[in-house]
Amino acid sequence: MNKLIYKASINHTEKTVRELYKTQYFCFDKTRLISRYIAGFILILISVTLQFSFILKGIFLLVGAWLVSTPDFPSQVRADKNLDARKNPLPVMSYEFYDDKIKLSGEGACDITYDKIKILIQDTKYFYLFISKNSACMIDKSTLENLDGFMNFIEEKTKTKWRVQKSFFSMNFQDLIREFKKKK
């Protein structure tokens, strides 16, 4: 019989749902994120350098500043749509980690094998185990007793390394090139 190795959970709130969508966006939509930023920067440059009507300059500057200053806006919209569409309270998800599978319970129950997990991301408060772009397990780190042991266990089982999700503003030129090469 399989022995329980780790237990974890998350009590979803509006904040955790927003964090999940933001992490998903930064993980899977970097090209879109970078394109929004570049488009905004170009609009700002056009409004500052070219000579045309004051109103048009203002519009270009406003739209450009908005694009540059709200890099995760699409994720906020998706999270808000999801939260507005929910009729039930937000779920409390529980995870049990066994040698050969993860048992999920909360809004329904299912088992996931480790080979289904494709991307491991962590931030200061949460672990994200992405199965696909639109399917992830979000775990509150405070519900785990041995973080290092858990991280090593998951890396071994999934054959995937944990990564820290970088925001666009903390990326360097090599990170940007790596992201564009990944898309090809």
Side-chain angles (χ1 to χ4, degrees):
M1 183 172 159
N2 264 339
K3 182 181 144 209
L4 177 65
I5 300 171
Y6 290 99
K7 269 182 106 167
S9 65
I10 186 161
N11 185 3
H12 277 292
T13 63
E14 285 189 16
K15 184 180 179 208
T16 63
V17 170
R18 282 180 177 45
E19 284 298 316
L20 178 59
Y21 276 95
K22 182 178 172 182
T23 301
Q24 179 264 338
Y25 179 69
F26 280 121
C27 180
F28 290 97
D29 291 327
K30 280 239 169 63
T31 304
R32 183 176 177 195
L33 172 79
I34 293 166
S35 299
R36 282 177 54 88
Y37 185 79
I38 290 170
F41 187 71
I42 289 170
L43 288 173
I44 292 169
L45 281 177
I46 288 171
S47 71
V48 172
T49 58
L50 297 181
Q51 296 295 336
F52 47 89
S53 89
F54 183 72
I55 293 173
L56 200 52
K57 277 186 168 203
I59 291 170
F60 279 25
L61 185 60
L62 182 67
V63 172
W66 177 75
L67 287 170
V68 168
S69 65
T70 59
D72 64 338
F73 181 74
S75 72
Q76 294 172 18
V77 170
R78 286 190 65 215
D80 287 342
K81 280 182 184 177
N82 181 290
L83 289 167
D84 289 344
R86 289 192 65 83
K87 305 284 187 259
N88 302 326
L90 295 171
V92 175
M93 299 298 297
S94 297
Y95 305 95
E96 294 179 348
F97 296 87
Y98 295 90
D99 194 44
D100 62 339
K101 66 185 174 189
I102 305 169
K103 288 186 89 151
L104 280 75
S105 58
E107 277 189 330
C110 69
D111 293 348
I112 298 174
T113 57
Y114 292 105
D115 63 333
K116 301 276 189 226
I117 298 170
K118 305 298 179 208
I119 299 173
L120 302 174
I121 296 177
Q122 67 164 319
D123 61 23
T124 56
K125 293 183 178 183
Y126 307 106
F127 289 122
Y128 305 87
L129 288 67
F130 280 96
I131 298 162
S132 68
K133 179 179 179 178
N134 295 313
S135 181
C137 299
M138 183 178 183
I139 299 168
D140 187 339
K141 285 183 174 182
S142 69
T143 65
L144 282 159
E145 292 181 18
N146 180 357
L147 292 180
D148 290 333
F150 174 77
M151 290 175 72
N152 291 333
F153 173 77
I154 295 297
E155 279 184 349
E156 179 184 311
K157 292 295 179 183
T158 61
K159 296 175 180 49
T160 305
K161 294 284 185 195
W162 286 99
R163 58 187 211 204
V164 176
Q165 192 60 42
K166 291 183 176 183
S167 74
F168 175 73
F169 296 111
S170 65
M171 293 176 77
N172 60 32
F173 190 66
Q174 290 171 338
D175 293 331
L176 293 174
I177 290 171
R178 194 175 313 115
E179 287 302 321
F180 278 113
K181 282 184 180 177
K182 253 196 268 184
K183 295 293 178 188
K184 292 182 180 179

mmCIF file with all atom_site columns, all heavy atoms in Angstrom, residues 21-35:
data_model
loop_
_atom_site.group_PDB
_atom_site.id
_atom_site.type_symbol
_atom_site.label_atom_id
_atom_site.label_alt_id
_atom_site.label_comp_id
_atom_site.label_asym_id
_atom_site.label_entity_id
_atom_site.label_seq_id
_atom_site.pdbx_PDB_ins_code
_atom_site.Cartn_x
_atom_site.Cartn_y
_atom_site.Cartn_z
_atom_site.occupancy
_atom_site.B_iso_or_equiv
_atom_site.pdbx_formal_charge
_atom_site.auth_seq_id
_atom_site.auth_comp_id
_atom_site.auth_asym_id
_atom_site.auth_atom_id
_atom_site.pdbx_PDB_model_num
ATOM 1   N N   . TYR A 1 21 ? -3.562 33.269 -11.443 1.00 0.00 ? 21 TYR A N   1
ATOM 2   C CA  . TYR A 1 21 ? -3.686 33.747 -12.818 1.00 0.00 ? 21 TYR A CA  1
ATOM 3   C C   . TYR A 1 21 ? -2.473 34.576 -13.231 1.00 0.00 ? 21 TYR A C   1
ATOM 4   O O   . TYR A 1 21 ? -2.022 34.495 -14.380 1.00 0.00 ? 21 TYR A O   1
ATOM 5   C CB  . TYR A 1 21 ? -4.980 34.547 -13.003 1.00 0.00 ? 21 TYR A CB  1
ATOM 6   C CG  . TYR A 1 21 ? -6.166 33.666 -13.274 1.00 0.00 ? 21 TYR A CG  1
ATOM 7   C CD1 . TYR A 1 21 ? -6.995 33.253 -12.241 1.00 0.00 ? 21 TYR A CD1 1
ATOM 8   C CD2 . TYR A 1 21 ? -6.453 33.227 -14.560 1.00 0.00 ? 21 TYR A CD2 1
ATOM 9   C CE1 . TYR A 1 21 ? -8.084 32.427 -12.489 1.00 0.00 ? 21 TYR A CE1 1
ATOM 10  C CE2 . TYR A 1 21 ? -7.537 32.407 -14.814 1.00 0.00 ? 21 TYR A CE2 1
ATOM 11  C CZ  . TYR A 1 21 ? -8.343 32.007 -13.772 1.00 0.00 ? 21 TYR A CZ  1
ATOM 12  O OH  . TYR A 1 21 ? -9.414 31.189 -14.025 1.00 0.00 ? 21 TYR A OH  1
ATOM 13  N N   . LYS A 1 22 ? -1.951 35.364 -12.328 1.00 0.00 ? 22 LYS A N   1
ATOM 14  C CA  . LYS A 1 22 ? -0.766 36.167 -12.631 1.00 0.00 ? 22 LYS A CA  1
ATOM 15  C C   . LYS A 1 22 ? 0.442  35.260 -12.910 1.00 0.00 ? 22 LYS A C   1
ATOM 16  O O   . LYS A 1 22 ? 1.174  35.470 -13.876 1.00 0.00 ? 22 LYS A O   1
ATOM 17  C CB  . LYS A 1 22 ? -0.467 37.103 -11.451 1.00 0.00 ? 22 LYS A CB  1
ATOM 18  C CG  . LYS A 1 22 ? 0.703  38.017 -11.652 1.00 0.00 ? 22 LYS A CG  1
ATOM 19  C CD  . LYS A 1 22 ? 0.851  38.917 -10.435 1.00 0.00 ? 22 LYS A CD  1
ATOM 20  C CE  . LYS A 1 22 ? 2.105  39.724 -10.463 1.00 0.00 ? 22 LYS A CE  1
ATOM 21  N NZ  . LYS A 1 22 ? 2.252  40.546 -9.257  1.00 0.00 ? 22 LYS A NZ  1
ATOM 22  N N   . THR A 1 23 ? 0.640  34.253 -12.084 1.00 0.00 ? 23 THR A N   1
ATOM 23  C CA  . THR A 1 23 ? 1.749  33.322 -12.278 1.00 0.00 ? 23 THR A CA  1
ATOM 24  C C   . THR A 1 23 ? 1.582  32.571 -13.588 1.00 0.00 ? 23 THR A C   1
ATOM 25  O O   . THR A 1 23 ? 2.542  32.397 -14.338 1.00 0.00 ? 23 THR A O   1
ATOM 26  C CB  . THR A 1 23 ? 1.845  32.344 -11.095 1.00 0.00 ? 23 THR A CB  1
ATOM 27  O OG1 . THR A 1 23 ? 2.043  33.106 -9.901  1.00 0.00 ? 23 THR A OG1 1
ATOM 28  C CG2 . THR A 1 23 ? 2.999  31.370 -11.270 1.00 0.00 ? 23 THR A CG2 1
ATOM 29  N N   . GLN A 1 24 ? 0.365  32.140 -13.872 1.00 0.00 ? 24 GLN A N   1
ATOM 30  C CA  . GLN A 1 24 ? 0.091  31.451 -15.138 1.00 0.00 ? 24 GLN A CA  1
ATOM 31  C C   . GLN A 1 24 ? 0.422  32.363 -16.317 1.00 0.00 ? 24 GLN A C   1
ATOM 32  O O   . GLN A 1 24 ? 1.050  31.949 -17.283 1.00 0.00 ? 24 GLN A O   1
ATOM 33  C CB  . GLN A 1 24 ? -1.377 31.011 -15.174 1.00 0.00 ? 24 GLN A CB  1
ATOM 34  C CG  . GLN A 1 24 ? -1.798 30.311 -16.434 1.00 0.00 ? 24 GLN A CG  1
ATOM 35  C CD  . GLN A 1 24 ? -2.444 31.230 -17.450 1.00 0.00 ? 24 GLN A CD  1
ATOM 36  O OE1 . GLN A 1 24 ? -2.958 32.301 -17.130 1.00 0.00 ? 24 GLN A OE1 1
ATOM 37  N NE2 . GLN A 1 24 ? -2.407 30.827 -18.686 1.00 0.00 ? 24 GLN A NE2 1
ATOM 38  N N   . TYR A 1 25 ? 0.037  33.625 -16.239 1.00 0.00 ? 25 TYR A N   1
ATOM 39  C CA  . TYR A 1 25 ? 0.294  34.580 -17.322 1.00 0.00 ? 25 TYR A CA  1
ATOM 40  C C   . TYR A 1 25 ? 1.791  34.808 -17.503 1.00 0.00 ? 25 TYR A C   1
ATOM 41  O O   . TYR A 1 25 ? 2.305  34.759 -18.618 1.00 0.00 ? 25 TYR A O   1
ATOM 42  C CB  . TYR A 1 25 ? -0.429 35.895 -17.009 1.00 0.00 ? 25 TYR A CB  1
ATOM 43  C CG  . TYR A 1 25 ? -0.230 36.968 -18.045 1.00 0.00 ? 25 TYR A CG  1
ATOM 44  C CD1 . TYR A 1 25 ? -0.791 36.853 -19.314 1.00 0.00 ? 25 TYR A CD1 1
ATOM 45  C CD2 . TYR A 1 25 ? 0.507  38.106 -17.760 1.00 0.00 ? 25 TYR A CD2 1
ATOM 46  C CE1 . TYR A 1 25 ? -0.619 37.838 -20.265 1.00 0.00 ? 25 TYR A CE1 1
ATOM 47  C CE2 . TYR A 1 25 ? 0.680  39.104 -18.700 1.00 0.00 ? 25 TYR A CE2 1
ATOM 48  C CZ  . TYR A 1 25 ? 0.122  38.969 -19.957 1.00 0.00 ? 25 TYR A CZ  1
ATOM 49  O OH  . TYR A 1 25 ? 0.299  39.946 -20.901 1.00 0.00 ? 25 TYR A OH  1
ATOM 50  N N   . PHE A 1 26 ? 2.505  35.039 -16.414 1.00 0.00 ? 26 PHE A N   1
ATOM 51  C CA  . PHE A 1 26 ? 3.950  35.265 -16.512 1.00 0.00 ? 26 PHE A CA  1
ATOM 52  C C   . PHE A 1 26 ? 4.681  34.009 -16.985 1.00 0.00 ? 26 PHE A C   1
ATOM 53  O O   . PHE A 1 26 ? 5.726  34.100 -17.621 1.00 0.00 ? 26 PHE A O   1
ATOM 54  C CB  . PHE A 1 26 ? 4.533  35.740 -15.179 1.00 0.00 ? 26 PHE A CB  1
ATOM 55  C CG  . PHE A 1 26 ? 4.328  37.204 -14.919 1.00 0.00 ? 26 PHE A CG  1
ATOM 56  C CD1 . PHE A 1 26 ? 3.635  37.622 -13.802 1.00 0.00 ? 26 PHE A CD1 1
ATOM 57  C CD2 . PHE A 1 26 ? 4.823  38.159 -15.771 1.00 0.00 ? 26 PHE A CD2 1
ATOM 58  C CE1 . PHE A 1 26 ? 3.437  38.970 -13.547 1.00 0.00 ? 26 PHE A CE1 1
ATOM 59  C CE2 . PHE A 1 26 ? 4.628  39.515 -15.535 1.00 0.00 ? 26 PHE A CE2 1
ATOM 60  C CZ  . PHE A 1 26 ? 3.938  39.921 -14.419 1.00 0.00 ? 26 PHE A CZ  1
ATOM 61  N N   . CYS A 1 27 ? 4.151  32.846 -16.705 1.00 0.00 ? 27 CYS A N   1
ATOM 62  C CA  . CYS A 1 27 ? 4.791  31.593 -17.111 1.00 0.00 ? 27 CYS A CA  1
ATOM 63  C C   . CYS A 1 27 ? 4.539  31.271 -18.583 1.00 0.00 ? 27 CYS A C   1
ATOM 64  O O   . CYS A 1 27 ? 5.468  30.912 -19.304 1.00 0.00 ? 27 CYS A O   1
ATOM 65  C CB  . CYS A 1 27 ? 4.277  30.457 -16.229 1.00 0.00 ? 27 CYS A CB  1
ATOM 66  S SG  . CYS A 1 27 ? 4.974  28.854 -16.618 1.00 0.00 ? 27 CYS A SG  1
ATOM 67  N N   . PHE A 1 28 ? 3.306  31.407 -19.038 1.00 0.00 ? 28 PHE A N   1
ATOM 68  C CA  . PHE A 1 28 ? 2.939  30.930 -20.364 1.00 0.00 ? 28 PHE A CA  1
ATOM 69  C C   . PHE A 1 28 ? 2.764  32.020 -21.414 1.00 0.00 ? 28 PHE A C   1
ATOM 70  O O   . PHE A 1 28 ? 2.710  31.705 -22.605 1.00 0.00 ? 28 PHE A O   1
ATOM 71  C CB  . PHE A 1 28 ? 1.642  30.119 -20.285 1.00 0.00 ? 28 PHE A CB  1
ATOM 72  C CG  . PHE A 1 28 ? 1.810  28.808 -19.587 1.00 0.00 ? 28 PHE A CG  1
ATOM 73  C CD1 . PHE A 1 28 ? 1.493  28.688 -18.245 1.00 0.00 ? 28 PHE A CD1 1
ATOM 74  C CD2 . PHE A 1 28 ? 2.298  27.702 -20.259 1.00 0.00 ? 28 PHE A CD2 1
ATOM 75  C CE1 . PHE A 1 28 ? 1.647  27.479 -17.588 1.00 0.00 ? 28 PHE A CE1 1
ATOM 76  C CE2 . PHE A 1 28 ? 2.457  26.489 -19.617 1.00 0.00 ? 28 PHE A CE2 1
ATOM 77  C CZ  . PHE A 1 28 ? 2.135  26.372 -18.269 1.00 0.00 ? 28 PHE A CZ  1
ATOM 78  N N   . ASP A 1 29 ? 2.635  33.267 -21.015 1.00 0.00 ? 29 ASP A N   1
ATOM 79  C CA  . ASP A 1 29 ? 2.366  34.335 -21.981 1.00 0.00 ? 29 ASP A CA  1
ATOM 80  C C   . ASP A 1 29 ? 3.439  35.418 -21.990 1.00 0.00 ? 29 ASP A C   1
ATOM 81  O O   . ASP A 1 29 ? 3.143  36.599 -22.158 1.00 0.00 ? 29 ASP A O   1
ATOM 82  C CB  . ASP A 1 29 ? 0.994  34.972 -21.689 1.00 0.00 ? 29 ASP A CB  1
ATOM 83  C CG  . ASP A 1 29 ? -0.155 34.043 -21.986 1.00 0.00 ? 29 ASP A CG  1
ATOM 84  O OD1 . ASP A 1 29 ? -0.025 33.244 -22.923 1.00 0.00 ? 29 ASP A OD1 1
ATOM 85  O OD2 . ASP A 1 29 ? -1.176 34.116 -21.284 1.00 0.00 ? 29 ASP A OD2 1
ATOM 86  N N   . LYS A 1 30 ? 4.692  35.015 -21.846 1.00 0.00 ? 30 LYS A N   1
ATOM 87  C CA  . LYS A 1 30 ? 5.782  36.004 -21.824 1.00 0.00 ? 30 LYS A CA  1
ATOM 88  C C   . LYS A 1 30 ? 5.876  36.781 -23.133 1.00 0.00 ? 30 LYS A C   1
ATOM 89  O O   . LYS A 1 30 ? 6.145  37.974 -23.123 1.00 0.00 ? 30 LYS A O   1
ATOM 90  C CB  . LYS A 1 30 ? 7.112  35.311 -21.534 1.00 0.00 ? 30 LYS A CB  1
ATOM 91  C CG  . LYS A 1 30 ? 7.304  35.012 -20.073 1.00 0.00 ? 30 LYS A CG  1
ATOM 92  C CD  . LYS A 1 30 ? 8.552  35.681 -19.559 1.00 0.00 ? 30 LYS A CD  1
ATOM 93  C CE  . LYS A 1 30 ? 8.667  35.648 -18.073 1.00 0.00 ? 30 LYS A CE  1
ATOM 94  N NZ  . LYS A 1 30 ? 8.770  34.403 -17.428 1.00 0.00 ? 30 LYS A NZ  1
ATOM 95  N N   . THR A 1 31 ? 5.638  36.120 -24.251 1.00 0.00 ? 31 THR A N   1
ATOM 96  C CA  . THR A 1 31 ? 5.712  36.815 -25.538 1.00 0.00 ? 31 THR A CA  1
ATOM 97  C C   . THR A 1 31 ? 4.665  37.923 -25.596 1.00 0.00 ? 31 THR A C   1
ATOM 98  O O   . THR A 1 31 ? 4.958  39.033 -26.023 1.00 0.00 ? 31 THR A O   1
ATOM 99  C CB  . THR A 1 31 ? 5.508  35.825 -26.706 1.00 0.00 ? 31 THR A CB  1
ATOM 100 O OG1 . THR A 1 31 ? 6.471  34.780 -26.586 1.00 0.00 ? 31 THR A OG1 1
ATOM 101 C CG2 . THR A 1 31 ? 5.677  36.510 -28.038 1.00 0.00 ? 31 THR A CG2 1
ATOM 102 N N   . ARG A 1 32 ? 3.470  37.616 -25.149 1.00 0.00 ? 32 ARG A N   1
ATOM 103 C CA  . ARG A 1 32 ? 2.406  38.635 -25.112 1.00 0.00 ? 32 ARG A CA  1
ATOM 104 C C   . ARG A 1 32 ? 2.771  39.767 -24.149 1.00 0.00 ? 32 ARG A C   1
ATOM 105 O O   . ARG A 1 32 ? 2.567  40.936 -24.449 1.00 0.00 ? 32 ARG A O   1
ATOM 106 C CB  . ARG A 1 32 ? 1.103  37.970 -24.695 1.00 0.00 ? 32 ARG A CB  1
ATOM 107 C CG  . ARG A 1 32 ? -0.079 38.886 -24.696 1.00 0.00 ? 32 ARG A CG  1
ATOM 108 C CD  . ARG A 1 32 ? -1.332 38.118 -24.367 1.00 0.00 ? 32 ARG A CD  1
ATOM 109 N NE  . ARG A 1 32 ? -2.471 39.011 -24.301 1.00 0.00 ? 32 ARG A NE  1
ATOM 110 C CZ  . ARG A 1 32 ? -3.611 38.687 -23.762 1.00 0.00 ? 32 ARG A CZ  1
ATOM 111 N NH1 . ARG A 1 32 ? -3.798 37.488 -23.256 1.00 0.00 ? 32 ARG A NH1 1
ATOM 112 N NH2 . ARG A 1 32 ? -4.603 39.548 -23.713 1.00 0.00 ? 32 ARG A NH2 1
ATOM 113 N N   . LEU A 1 33 ? 3.313  39.403 -23.014 1.00 0.00 ? 33 LEU A N   1
ATOM 114 C CA  . LEU A 1 33 ? 3.727  40.384 -22.012 1.00 0.00 ? 33 LEU A CA  1
ATOM 115 C C   . LEU A 1 33 ? 4.782  41.328 -22.580 1.00 0.00 ? 33 LEU A C   1
ATOM 116 O O   . LEU A 1 33 ? 4.678  42.550 -22.461 1.00 0.00 ? 33 LEU A O   1
ATOM 117 C CB  . LEU A 1 33 ? 4.272  39.645 -20.784 1.00 0.00 ? 33 LEU A CB  1
ATOM 118 C CG  . LEU A 1 33 ? 4.919  40.456 -19.691 1.00 0.00 ? 33 LEU A CG  1
ATOM 119 C CD1 . LEU A 1 33 ? 3.846  41.099 -18.833 1.00 0.00 ? 33 LEU A CD1 1
ATOM 120 C CD2 . LEU A 1 33 ? 5.789  39.574 -18.835 1.00 0.00 ? 33 LEU A CD2 1
ATOM 121 N N   . ILE A 1 34 ? 5.785  40.756 -23.228 1.00 0.00 ? 34 ILE A N   1
ATOM 122 C CA  . ILE A 1 34 ? 6.868  41.558 -23.806 1.00 0.00 ? 34 ILE A CA  1
ATOM 123 C C   . ILE A 1 34 ? 6.334  42.411 -24.947 1.00 0.00 ? 34 ILE A C   1
ATOM 124 O O   . ILE A 1 34 ? 6.703  43.590 -25.074 1.00 0.00 ? 34 ILE A O   1
ATOM 125 C CB  . ILE A 1 34 ? 8.023  40.637 -24.255 1.00 0.00 ? 34 ILE A CB  1
ATOM 126 C CG1 . ILE A 1 34 ? 8.677  39.990 -23.027 1.00 0.00 ? 34 ILE A CG1 1
ATOM 127 C CG2 . ILE A 1 34 ? 9.054  41.401 -25.074 1.00 0.00 ? 34 ILE A CG2 1
ATOM 128 C CD1 . ILE A 1 34 ? 9.583  38.821 -23.335 1.00 0.00 ? 34 ILE A CD1 1
ATOM 129 N N   . SER A 1 35 ? 5.455  41.855 -25.752 1.00 0.00 ? 35 SER A N   1
ATOM 130 C CA  . SER A 1 35 ? 4.867  42.612 -26.868 1.00 0.00 ? 35 SER A CA  1
ATOM 131 C C   . SER A 1 35 ? 4.075  43.814 -26.364 1.00 0.00 ? 35 SER A C   1
ATOM 132 O O   . SER A 1 35 ? 4.155  44.901 -26.937 1.00 0.00 ? 35 SER A O   1
ATOM 133 C CB  . SER A 1 35 ? 3.951  41.712 -27.702 1.00 0.00 ? 35 SER A CB  1
ATOM 134 O OG  . SER A 1 35 ? 4.671  40.651 -28.242 1.00 0.00 ? 35 SER A OG  1
#
